[in-house]
Each structure stands twice: as C-alpha cells, then as structure tokens.
Amino acid sequence: MQDRMDLHTHTIASGHAYNTLYEMVRAAADKGVELLGVTDHAPLIPGACHPFYFKNFKVIPRVIYGVHVMMGCELDIIDYDGHIDLEPEYLKGLDFAIASIHEQCYAIGTTAQNTAAYLGAMKNPAVHIIGHPDDGRVPVDFETLVCAAKEEHVLLEFNASSLHPRSHRLHARENDIAMLEYCRRYQAPIIIDSDAHCACDVAEHSRAHELLQEIDFPEDLVVNSSFEKAAAYLPYLATLLNDGGLRS
C-alpha cells in the first residue's frame, strides 16, 4: 500500500519532542511523504505551548521542501462528556484536529465513562481524528467506539507508536486488533499515524503495516493511500484538492 501521509507529529512546541517544524518536514521530504500533519499538544499537557501558538499558523508556508503541510493540534479530552482543552477562538485557526486521552489531563474512568468521553469528543465539529484509542490504561468499548466513529464521520487512528516495544501504552497490540476487527465488520475507515516526537520517527508506520498485513485488513479502509479518501474526513484537505493545491 502506498502511504502518502503522516498526520500526527510533534515539534519542540509540544514541550517533550525534539525537533523543529522544518526538521520534521525535512525528514518527511527525505522519506517521500507528500502530506505532513503537525499536531503539537494543546496547553494542558505539561510543557506544551501557549494557546497563542495556534493563532499564528498564517505565517507558516504550506509547502516546505516539496511537502504539503497541515497545521493542527492534538487536543486533550478532559472529562467524560468529551470536552477539550482549546477554546473556539483557537480552534478556528486549525487545519484539523486530533482528540486524545492523556492521563495527565483526564481522570481515567470506567469503560463506559471512557467510551462516553470519546463519543462526546467526536460530536465536536473541530475534531476529525480520535488519537491512539488503544491504550489499555484507558479501557473502552471498541464496538461502540467504532460504530460511533462511523456515524459521526470521524477517523480512528491506528497509532504506530503504540506498537513500539517500549511504548507506555498497555496491551496496544491486542486492543488494536480488536478495534481493527470492528472496523472491518462495520466498514469504518482508519488512518495510520506515527505520533512522531523525533524526526527519525516521521512516517515510521512499519509496525502498523505489519499488523495490518498479519490480520489481512482491507486496504480500502486505510485512508493513507489516497488524498481523496482522507479528504472525505478532513475539510481543509478537501479544499486543497478542490483548489488544485494538491494533486489527488
């Protein structure tokens, strides 16, 4: 499968990543990535940037080293209703957003409470992707999650970083398989992302591809191979395609 994009990456603005924006894009260019999403952490993550950071994306070129760049945010889901930690005045400046649960910003609840938190976040029109829902420390009902993602027209992320041998996310492989099998059953698309916090990990999706191949997951449910498939979930990307700023 041709993997044309990586839409979950972090720069030094996140506080615990190690490369600049231009270094991350350079790595993407070197690896043949055509579309890079930069999603620095929203303010509740310790060490993350001030909300003002998300108001000034107009100064950033959207093609760097030949790579198309989308500037977004990894939002924190902060309660069981799915509220997030960035105000509307800052959300409107984003090209897209990922919403994730991080234990630093969220009191981990029951399976029902955690699932409700994700479902609440999906209803926010600013949210386009649910990030790394595979962490066993935050148990969820994957069948409900997948059905809701399809209904709310939100992508579920298959996070390659979760499969790293030293990942702090528990039981990620088993949880990914469970999520993917429900995605297959209900025909709910996914997006593979690296969650790179260092330039060397940009587009490092190999572990994810290996698992997809192992379970014979259908390629047509993975949006990474097609800008048109991804654009169905990302309005900014759809605008780029319609305006001719990006070739399908």
Side-chain angles (χ1 to χ4, degrees), residues 170-210:
L170 298 181
H171 312 301
R173 177 183 169 84
E174 297 91 331
N175 289 335
D176 282 325
I177 291 173
M179 181 182 77
L180 292 167
E181 290 299 346
Y182 283 122
C183 287
R184 186 204 309 267
R185 179 186 302 181
Y186 294 107
Q187 294 294 288
I190 63 164
I191 185 166
I192 306 171
D193 285 322
S194 71
D195 200 356
H197 286 64
C198 187
C200 62
D201 284 332
V202 170
E204 180 44 65
H205 296 167
S206 58
R207 294 183 180 91
H209 283 290
E210 288 169 5

Side-chain angles (χ1 to χ4, degrees), residues 17-224:
Y18 300 96
N19 290 96
T20 65
L21 169 66
Y22 272 69
E23 289 169 342
M24 297 296 279
V25 182
R26 179 75 267 175
D30 290 345
K31 295 181 179 183
V33 174
E34 298 173 66
L35 176 66
L36 184 72
V38 178
T39 50
D40 284 310
H41 282 288
L44 279 186
I45 286 288
C49 53
H50 190 280
F52 285 172
Y53 169 82
F54 300 102
K55 291 192 75 170
N56 200 34
F57 288 164
K58 64 182 182 297
V59 305
I60 297 173
R62 297 315 172 88
V63 180
I64 303 173
Y65 304 133
V67 176
H68 290 269
V69 178
M70 289 173 56
M71 298 300 299
C73 178
E74 185 177 14
L75 304 164
D76 296 296
I77 299 173
I78 60 175
D79 59 30
Y80 306 140
D81 293 321
H83 292 114
I84 54 176
D85 63 337
L86 201 61
E87 296 299 319
E89 66 174 301
Y90 304 110
L91 290 171
K92 66 184 180 182
L94 305 177
D95 297 341
F96 74 111
I98 299 170
S100 306
I101 289 178
H102 298 103
E103 62 179 351
Q104 300 91 339
C105 312
Y106 174 88
I108 296 172
T110 64
T111 296
Q113 289 170 326
N114 299 332
T115 304
Y118 280 124
L119 269 55
M122 289 180 192
K123 294 183 181 297
N124 189 322
V127 173
H128 306 98
I129 299 170
I130 293 296
H132 50 72
D134 54 14
D135 189 347
R137 298 174 302 175
V138 187
V140 296
D141 179 335
F142 283 107
E143 184 171 18
T144 299
L145 183 76
V146 168
C147 290
K150 184 170 184 180
E151 181 178 349
E152 299 294 341
H153 203 64
V154 171
L155 287 168
L156 292 174
E157 180 184 76
F158 183 19
N159 189 296
S161 176
S162 297
L163 298 174
H164 192 286
R166 294 194 299 275
S167 173
H168 57 275
R169 296 173 192 146
L170 298 181
H171 312 301
R173 177 183 169 84
E174 297 91 331
N175 289 335
D176 282 325
I177 291 173
M179 181 182 77
L180 292 167
E181 290 299 346
Y182 283 122
C183 287
R184 186 204 309 267
R185 179 186 302 181
Y186 294 107
Q187 294 294 288
I190 63 164
I191 185 166
I192 306 171
D193 285 322
S194 71
D195 200 356
H197 286 64
C198 187
C200 62
D201 284 332
V202 170
E204 180 44 65
H205 296 167
S206 58
R207 294 183 180 91
H209 283 290
E210 288 169 5
L211 183 54
L212 292 178
Q213 185 174 11
E214 178 183 324
I215 66 172
D216 195 25
F217 190 79
E219 288 187 11
D220 62 343
L221 290 178
V222 184
V223 304
N224 295 65

